[in-house]
Amino acid sequence: MATGKINVSVENIFPLIKKFLYSDHEIFLRELISNATDATLKLKHLTSIGEAKVDYGNPIIEVKVDKDNKRIHILDQGIGMTEEEVKKYINEVAFSGAEEFLDKYKDAGKDAGIIGHFGLGFYSAFMVAEKVEIITKSHKDEPAVHWICDGSPEFTIEPSDKSERGTEIILHIAEDSTEFLENSRIRQLLVKYNKFMPIPIKFGTRKETLPKPEGAKEDEPAPTKEVDDIINNPEPAWTKQPTDLEEEDYKNFYRELYPMQFEEPLFHIHLNVDYPFNLTGILYFPKLTNDLNIQKDRIQLYQNQVFVTDNVEGIVPEFLTMLKGVIDSPDIPLNVSRSYLQADGAVKKISSYITRKVADKLTSLFKNNREDFEKKWNDIKVVIEYGMLSEDKFFEKADKFALYPTIDGDFYTFEELENKIKDNQTDKDDKLVILYASDKEAQHSYIEAAKKKGYEVLLLDSPIVPHLMQKLETSKENLSFVRVDADHVDNLIKKEDTTISKLSDEEKEKLKKEIEEVTKDKGYTIQMEAMESTASPFIITEPEFMRRMKEMQRTGGSGMFGMGNMPDMYNLIVNTNHELVSEILNTKTAKKRERLINQSLDLARLSKGLLKGEELTNFISRSYEMIK
């Protein structure tokens, strides 16, 4: 038996490892199973090139919990280690990696990034164990070795009678980590981190039902047998070539990833690139709601089939974090802080590649089956609009397939819309005016007025539309989006003014003052406008610019405009050619004039959806009195 001391400058590094990594101490299992997988895959490679003269067979990794003796055993049938290799890889290389990591990151706290893949690997075992044993036999014809360390820099190495190739790690679980002696906890971790590892992982056994023998009675139970319980799928869909998968395979894999998700995905995108970086994966477009806050953290990030995180911010473009699926890349540096990650050149290339692949897929879906694409538009538009806002390269591609639905349910690309409306909806300054509604019911009267003029009205109701309109107006020439209730219909698209007012300037000024007097506490800006006599006498509008700024502020744009909480602003447009307006002007008694103004104003407010509560109750009572 040999004893020795690990050569480290910190006298007792184990408490430091435990303390520093405490919040994530569950990753010890991921690390040890990753090591076992590496050992098995190395053996596979060496046998394939003839360097290891052994039968590779069908190796598995096994995890066993011995609750009575407070132990966890992790066994592999991989490459194994000689005594020299144990000394080199366990006592020197791995430990120097642990020390270097702690030295570099101890001041950064727990925000330094993801804990695995630091070279810590094996030593993460001491986060949960007070003593660790390694029993290993190399594939080479050399004696087996037994290494023991009790959580101090002291270790012992002695011969072992292990006869089969591979390595067994025995963790003697510490008192503060006994949760890991529960089978349910270990199973949970295996499913979380190792569900798609490339080597089968056995955890216990399960009963498998066998066919009933011939002649068995109907009520006789079917025979069963104990079989290994393999908890992982070593060949998940993303590791296969797209040509080897059917549509049903993609759907089945989606169910495997999200067993509690009952809706089918709308479509998938298979990522597969090996230059200038390695990346595989499958992304799914789920049905999305308009709530941007509940969508994030659905994509799972793997490194060589080992689960790392479902926080993919910085690796996947932000607008795509609303998708679901898997990304697997050995080229993503996982051992550094997020700020470093976001500045990393390889990560930026990966992010650009994913953006391009998504844009290409959407383009092909649009071109190959437009009817189906239109049906799915409302379920995917939030992602596409968000992408157009945040990624210029995506904007360029999406401009060809982004759809603009009308109130009547027709869909146009921007180019198609422009060609359809340019003759009728270009104003006197040669600017194309696109009219839209955000709520079909609330803005119904305004929509009808616009349609009577032959105008096309879009239905744009997602929460980021105000930001997107701003982007479109600045990236395209002579373009303006105007909501149908932003002004009276004759002013929405300003043509040459040909309507003559029935009232003189003096009459208009006199009436304006009288209306201002009655409505002075209600905060309206009064505009006297000459419109067709059939148009409403009073119309309430909300100026496009101010209303849009408010909406943008609500969806995260307040920093851009620095306006604090902006108040509601409404214009009261008075149609000087309506006979009721002339009647108000010519009414002799102030009391009757005030009643007519209030009634007309409340009708306009009712049309705009602004009449509520006590004011609505009073309006209804007053209307009944007038009918009497």
Side-chain angles (χ1 to χ4, degrees):
M1 182 178 90
T3 62
K5 190 169 182 178
I6 298 163
N7 184 24
V8 287
S9 55
V10 182
E11 181 55 35
N12 196 344
I13 201 168
F14 296 97
L16 232 137
I17 290 174
K18 190 161 189 169
K19 183 182 177 189
F20 183 81
L21 301 179
Y22 195 75
S23 69
D24 278 281
H25 61 329
E26 67 177 39
I27 63 101
F28 80 93
L29 193 60
R30 179 187 78 180
E31 292 302 304
L32 295 176
I33 288 182
S34 295
N35 287 349
T37 303
D38 287 344
T40 311
L41 293 175
K42 277 176 186 165
L43 182 68
K44 184 179 186 180
H45 176 68
L46 291 179
T47 53
S48 70
I49 62 173
E51 277 197 25
K53 309 293 185 189
V54 294
D55 178 21
Y56 178 69
N58 296 300
I60 64 168
I61 294 164
E62 184 173 6
V63 180
K64 294 195 280 193
V65 176
D66 179 355
K67 191 171 181 179
D68 294 340
N69 293 306
K70 295 187 178 175
R71 292 179 195 163
I72 296 173
H73 299 252
I74 297 159
L75 304 92
D76 69 59
Q77 297 157 10
I79 198 167
M81 287 182 283
T82 64
E83 184 173 342
E84 285 307 306
E85 286 167 340
V86 170
K87 287 175 180 174
K88 181 179 177 184
Y89 294 119
I90 301 299
N91 297 344
E92 294 168 23
V93 176
F95 217 91
S96 64
E99 187 179 22
E100 185 186 330
F101 166 74
L102 285 166
D103 187 49
K104 190 172 178 183
Y105 290 104
K106 62 187 171 191
D107 296 330
K110 294 192 172 68
D111 297 327
I114 298 155
I115 285 174
H117 306 273
F118 286 109
L120 271 174
F122 166 71
Y123 276 93
S124 63
F126 285 96
M127 292 192 289
V128 298
E130 59 190 14
K131 182 167 90 172
V132 178
E133 299 179 59
I134 302 172
I135 304 169
T136 182
K137 180 168 173 57
S138 171
H139 70 284
K140 300 168 188 170
D141 189 18
E142 291 201 31
V145 185
H146 188 178
W147 179 94
I148 306 161
C149 183
D150 65 357
S152 73
E154 311 290 336
F155 67 86
T156 61
I157 290 184
E158 57 191 32
S160 163
D161 59 2
K162 180 175 170 65
S163 58
E164 293 178 347
R165 176 196 74 234
T167 299
E168 178 178 6
I169 309 282
I170 304 168
L171 309 181
H172 296 258
I173 298 300
E175 283 303 320
D176 61 1
S177 297
T178 52
E179 64 177 288
F180 297 109
L181 293 169
E182 301 297 331
N183 278 341
S184 57
R185 180 76 169 114
I186 294 299
R187 181 175 291 276
Q188 176 206 1
L189 293 181
L190 290 171
V191 169
K192 177 177 177 180
Y193 289 112
N194 307 106
K195 189 176 180 179
F196 300 113
M197 293 290 278
I199 305 297
I201 299 166
K202 174 187 174 184
F203 185 58
T205 58
R206 59 182 174 81
K207 281 190 168 63
E208 188 175 87
T209 305
L210 298 171
K212 281 188 181 182
E214 265 187 59
K217 294 177 181 171
E218 236 181 82
D219 57 352
E220 191 178 314
T224 60
K225 69 169 181 176
E226 290 282 327
V227 295
D228 292 349
D229 191 2
I230 303 298
I231 58 94
N232 62 320
N233 172 5
E235 296 181 344
W238 84 81
T239 62
K240 299 172 183 174
Q241 290 298 317
T243 48
D244 297 334
L245 296 167
E246 303 288 338
E247 189 64 33
E248 197 55 37
D249 296 318
Y250 287 108
K251 286 181 179 175
N252 288 339
F253 181 57
Y254 184 78
R255 293 182 201 114
E256 198 176 346
L257 279 175
Y258 307 102
M260 301 309 291
Q261 181 68 40
F262 302 112
E263 275 194 334
E264 294 281 331
L266 298 168
F267 51 85
H268 65 266
I269 298 162
H270 198 131
L271 306 168
N272 195 345
V273 63
D274 53 20
Y275 181 82
F277 47 81
N278 282 293
L279 177 88
T280 53
I282 299 170
L283 296 179
Y284 294 93
F285 264 77
K287 282 193 173 184
L288 294 169
T289 68
N290 274 348
D291 185 349
L292 299 175
N293 297 316
I294 61 168
Q295 311 290 350
K296 305 291 182 75
D297 297 345
R298 304 278 182 84
I299 296 174
Q300 298 174 12
L301 180 66
Y302 287 75
Q303 192 185 64
N304 291 327
Q305 293 176 238
V306 183
F307 175 76
V308 177
T309 182
D310 56 10
N311 178 358
V312 293
E313 188 186 342
I315 297 157
V316 173
E318 192 185 356
F319 77 99
L320 294 177
T321 56
M322 291 180 274
L323 303 190
K324 293 184 175 184
V326 165
I327 289 170
D328 189 334
S329 176
D331 292 336
I332 294 173
L334 299 173
N335 55 339
V336 284
S337 67
R338 273 212 176 272
S339 57
Y340 178 90
L341 191 63
Q342 285 160 352
D344 183 79
V347 171
K348 282 186 174 170
K349 286 188 186 128
I350 286 171
S351 182
S352 298
Y353 166 78
I354 293 170
T355 300
R356 191 174 76 247
K357 283 291 286 187
V358 170
D360 290 346
K361 177 74 174 187
L362 290 164
T363 302
S364 74
L365 287 167
F366 172 71
K367 285 180 176 172
N368 296 335
N369 192 344
R370 174 156 178 174
E371 188 182 346
D372 187 56
F373 191 79
E374 287 180 0
K375 280 181 193 164
K376 290 171 177 170
W377 177 253
N378 278 331
D379 294 315
I380 63 174
K381 66 185 177 189
V382 173
V383 173
I384 294 171
E385 289 165 353
Y386 194 0
M388 290 173 75
L389 259 179
S390 56
E391 302 273 336
D392 285 340
K393 284 183 180 169
F394 185 78
F395 179 90
E396 289 164 22
K397 294 201 171 197
D399 202 31
K400 302 285 192 294
F401 60 70
L403 293 177
Y404 298 85
T406 69
I407 287 294
D408 300 320
D410 298 318
F411 290 86
Y412 298 104
T413 64
F414 188 86
E415 189 180 350
E416 291 165 351
L417 181 67
E418 188 177 21
N419 289 332
K420 186 169 197 304
I421 69 172
K422 63 185 176 189
D423 291 340
N424 196 29
Q425 289 182 218
T426 300
D427 69 10
K428 60 186 175 65
D429 299 319
D430 208 30
K431 183 178 271 192
L432 183 73
V433 181
I434 297 176
L435 301 180
Y436 71 99
S438 58
D439 186 323
K440 264 173 36 171
E441 300 301 316
Q443 293 148 15
H444 183 266
S445 62
Y446 299 88
I447 292 165
E448 289 305 304
K451 284 169 79 172
K452 278 177 189 167
K453 285 269 189 184
Y455 295 153
E456 196 72 68
V457 181
L458 302 183
L459 178 62
L460 303 178
D461 57 1
S462 79
I464 49 180
V465 148
H467 298 275
L468 183 60
M469 288 188 296
Q470 205 80 351
K471 169 117 179 176
L472 287 161
E473 286 170 346
T474 51
S475 62
K476 297 178 184 292
E477 289 183 4
N478 285 343
L479 174 68
S480 175
F481 281 85
V482 180
R483 204 167 82 178
V484 285
D485 57 351
D487 211 328
H488 78 74
V489 71
D490 292 341
N491 274 357
L492 289 173
I493 303 171
K494 279 276 195 185
K495 307 281 187 179
E496 296 302 333
D497 200 1
T498 53
T499 311
I500 299 166
S501 175
K502 289 180 182 175
L503 303 185
S504 67
D505 289 347
E506 291 80 8
E507 287 173 319
K508 282 194 279 187
E509 194 56 37
K510 181 186 174 200
L511 180 59
K512 184 179 180 183
K513 282 181 179 168
E514 287 171 345
I515 293 171
E516 281 174 343
E517 186 60 32
V518 174
T519 63
K520 63 185 174 188
D521 298 327
K522 296 186 167 72
Y524 293 103
T525 303
I526 313 296
Q527 289 176 219
M528 311 300 285
E529 298 273 1
M531 295 183 269
E532 292 175 7
S533 58
T534 52
S536 300
F538 281 25
I539 300 168
I540 292 171
T541 63
E542 205 174 349
E544 176 72 19
F545 176 77
M546 296 305 289
R547 193 210 70 252
R548 201 191 297 179
M549 291 302 109
K550 266 184 62 182
E551 288 173 350
M552 289 167 79
Q553 188 184 53
R554 277 200 298 273
T555 52
S558 56
M560 282 186 261
F561 313 112
M563 295 184 181
N565 289 324
M566 296 162 61
D568 290 325
M569 295 181 71
Y570 297 104
N571 294 335
L572 174 60
I573 297 169
V574 179
N575 180 4
T576 59
N577 287 339
H578 196 283
E579 59 183 277
L580 178 60
V581 172
S582 295
E583 188 183 335
I584 292 169
L585 176 69
N586 297 320
T587 297
K588 301 292 183 227
T589 65
K591 197 169 182 183
K592 184 183 178 186
R593 184 165 53 247
E594 185 178 338
R595 193 170 75 246
L596 286 173
I597 290 170
N598 276 326
Q599 190 71 2
S600 302
L601 175 62
D602 281 353
L603 282 165
R605 292 171 73 200
L606 191 64
S607 176
K608 180 75 177 160
L610 295 173
L611 198 60
K612 293 170 184 171
E614 187 182 350
E615 290 180 316
L616 178 58
T617 306
N618 292 341
F619 167 76
I620 292 166
S621 300
R622 193 169 67 240
S623 299
Y624 281 133
E625 287 300 317
M626 291 174 78
I627 292 168
K628 283 184 202 171

